[in-house]
Amino acid sequence: MRIIRRRGWEIPESQVTPESVVLNRRALIGGTAALLAAAPGLVHADPNPKYEAGRALTEEKYSTTYNNYYEFSESKNLWKEAQGLKTSPWTIEFAGLVKEPRKIAYEDLLKQVSLEERIYRHRCVEAWAMTVPWTGFPMTDLLKLAEPLGSAKFVAFETVKDKSMSGLRAPLYPWPYVDGLAIDEAANELAFMTTGMYGKPLPPQNGGPIRMTTPWKYGFKQVKSVVKVTFTEKQPRCFWQEINGREYGFWANVNPDVEHPRWSQARERLLGTGEMVPTQIYNGYGDIVASLYSDRKSEKLFM
Ligand SMILES: Nc1nc2c(c(=O)[nH]1)N[C@H]1C(S)=C(S)[C@@H](COP(=O)(O)O)O[C@H]1N2
Ligand SMILES: [Mo]
């Protein structure tokens, strides 16, 4: 098991978690050493305070049973169907403006990165939110492995198309699901490749075996079950932008003051408790990411 990097992104779990959840997770981690050693994509890291989640973790039973994954279904209740996605073996392709286009087995990729745990807030454009302890590695490490050329200005992530996904039969959608980032966004310290949650491998419904996580942006930017990473000179086409570019743009940074054409973004509903809380600009991560946009003020940054 590679693992454990003492860097922050989260306050110690004991400070953000109801005591019972902490105890359960400690029991899980302590009691399943063999499982942890055997399963890829796992980590239990010692949190080192840097970024504060500032709210309780969402209970796992909610974040793993209330999902957006249109390849399976437009309903939130798709987790059972998603178990049909075989997440091993898994291969990721590096394509486009890279030194050498190639495919890499997920197992081999994991050997070349260090896993850590980060507790991030997640904000869906539909105005629900959750707080999740993710496992994974910085997106910069993926960039290093992919070796993009200097001419690469953007990176696009693509979701698998699999026979287990009955939603793919909806012909109106521009499958595969693709979304992307500017290279400097992808290199930001918050951008994360996620391989697990709650100390376990990432389940298919949450984008297993590997998804990307950019917590300052709306959830639809966060591509699940990634099989292809393509470097481009121009902004890549993005799934939701293509479906409805008026409502869903490329940058899609969270902002409580920029309304969705059909609803307010001022507040968000916490999964599990149903509590309504104010939404923060950049989902509360502005101190880390706002500088990415200082030279992009003319762009439609918030939707
Ligand atoms: N491939 C794919 N990725 C996707 C989606 C999807 O439908 N298909 N939905 C997105 C949206 S809208 C959100 S809010 C998050 C939800 O992630 P979660 O189910 O882990 O909460 O996944 C994002 N990634
Ligand atoms: Mo979403």
Side-chain angles (χ1 to χ4, degrees):
M1 181 166 65
R2 328 137 271 289
I3 302 196
I4 305 185
R5 207 195 266 189
R6 287 182 178 271
R7 289 176 61 208
W9 323 101
E10 69 260 64
I11 58 176
E13 230 174 86
S14 53
Q15 288 176 36
V16 295
T17 316
E19 195 70 12
S20 60
V21 179
V22 174
L23 293 174
N24 283 340
R25 291 204 56 230
R26 293 285 169 260
L28 169 89
I29 287 166
T32 55
L35 172 79
L36 286 166
L42 272 177
V43 67
H44 54 104
D46 280 326
N48 171 13
K50 184 167 176 187
Y51 305 110
E52 301 202 359
R55 51 176 79 158
L57 289 185
T58 303
E59 279 188 65
E60 183 181 356
K61 66 178 176 194
Y62 299 114
S63 46
T64 58
T65 59
Y66 182 95
N67 299 99
N68 274 331
Y69 205 153
Y70 272 44
E71 287 88 332
F72 290 103
S73 171
E74 292 181 30
S75 105
K76 297 284 186 284
N77 183 19
L78 53 85
W79 66 272
K80 273 190 199 140
E81 188 186 338
Q83 306 314 306
L85 176 64
K86 219 178 144 227
T87 55
S88 172
W90 195 265
T91 303
I92 297 175
E93 181 180 354
F94 298 136
L97 301 173
V98 289
K99 204 166 136 199
E100 196 181 341
R102 66 181 174 121
K103 291 184 177 168
I104 181 167
Y106 177 59
E107 295 286 335
D108 293 337
L109 189 156
L110 281 182
K111 286 180 197 144
Q112 296 176 61
V113 297
S114 305
L115 297 180
E116 58 187 278
E117 186 176 78
R118 298 186 183 188
I119 297 170
Y120 278 167
R121 294 179 298 274
H122 173 98
R123 174 59 156 81
C124 175
V125 74
E126 298 162 333
W128 56 268
M130 60 183 182
T131 307
V132 173
W134 303 111
T135 304
F137 57 93
M139 199 179 280
T140 44
D141 293 353
L142 186 86
L143 299 183
K144 278 177 212 142
L145 284 174
E147 297 184 276
L149 301 175
S151 53
K153 299 288 178 275
F154 296 90
V155 55
F157 297 84
E158 189 174 313
T159 297
V160 72
K161 290 206 291 180
D162 186 75
K163 58 182 182 328
S164 63
M165 298 169 152
S166 65
L168 291 180
R169 286 180 225 132
L172 294 177
Y173 289 120
W175 311 114
Y177 197 106
V178 179
D179 210 303
L181 301 168
I183 286 285
D184 58 342
E185 293 182 307
N188 183 274
E189 60 183 298
L190 267 188
F192 202 54
M193 298 305 300
T194 300
T195 59
M197 65 196 294
Y198 303 92
K200 302 172 197 167
L202 194 63
Q205 66 270 31
N206 293 93
I210 182 167
R211 72 184 280 176
M212 28 96 63
T213 305
T214 48
W216 71 99
K217 292 177 178 282
Y218 289 113
F220 68 85
K221 296 291 297 178
Q222 304 176 22
V223 177
K224 293 181 166 180
S225 310
V226 171
V227 287
K228 192 171 178 183
V229 182
T230 307
F231 294 84
T232 59
E233 206 186 312
K234 303 235 165 70
Q235 255 185 38
R237 79 156 186 100
C238 298
F239 183 79
W240 281 106
Q241 198 181 14
E242 200 166 335
I243 292 167
N244 189 342
R246 199 177 72 90
E247 297 189 354
Y248 308 105
F250 178 77
W251 301 99
N253 296 308
V254 173
N255 188 336
D257 298 326
V258 177
E259 291 181 8
H260 186 280
R262 291 181 280 136
W263 58 82
S264 163
Q265 296 291 21
R267 299 196 307 155
E268 60 205 51
R269 175 178 55 87
L270 303 184
L271 278 196
T273 66
E275 190 190 344
M276 297 296 299
V277 300
T279 288
Q280 305 172 68
I281 187 154
Y282 296 110
N283 202 21
Y285 297 106
D287 54 336
I288 311 165
V289 298
S291 62
L292 289 168
Y293 306 102
S294 47
D295 293 334
R296 292 179 167 129
K297 292 272 192 305
S298 61
E299 311 244 355
K300 208 176 146 207
L301 292 175
F302 299 107
M303 196 17 73

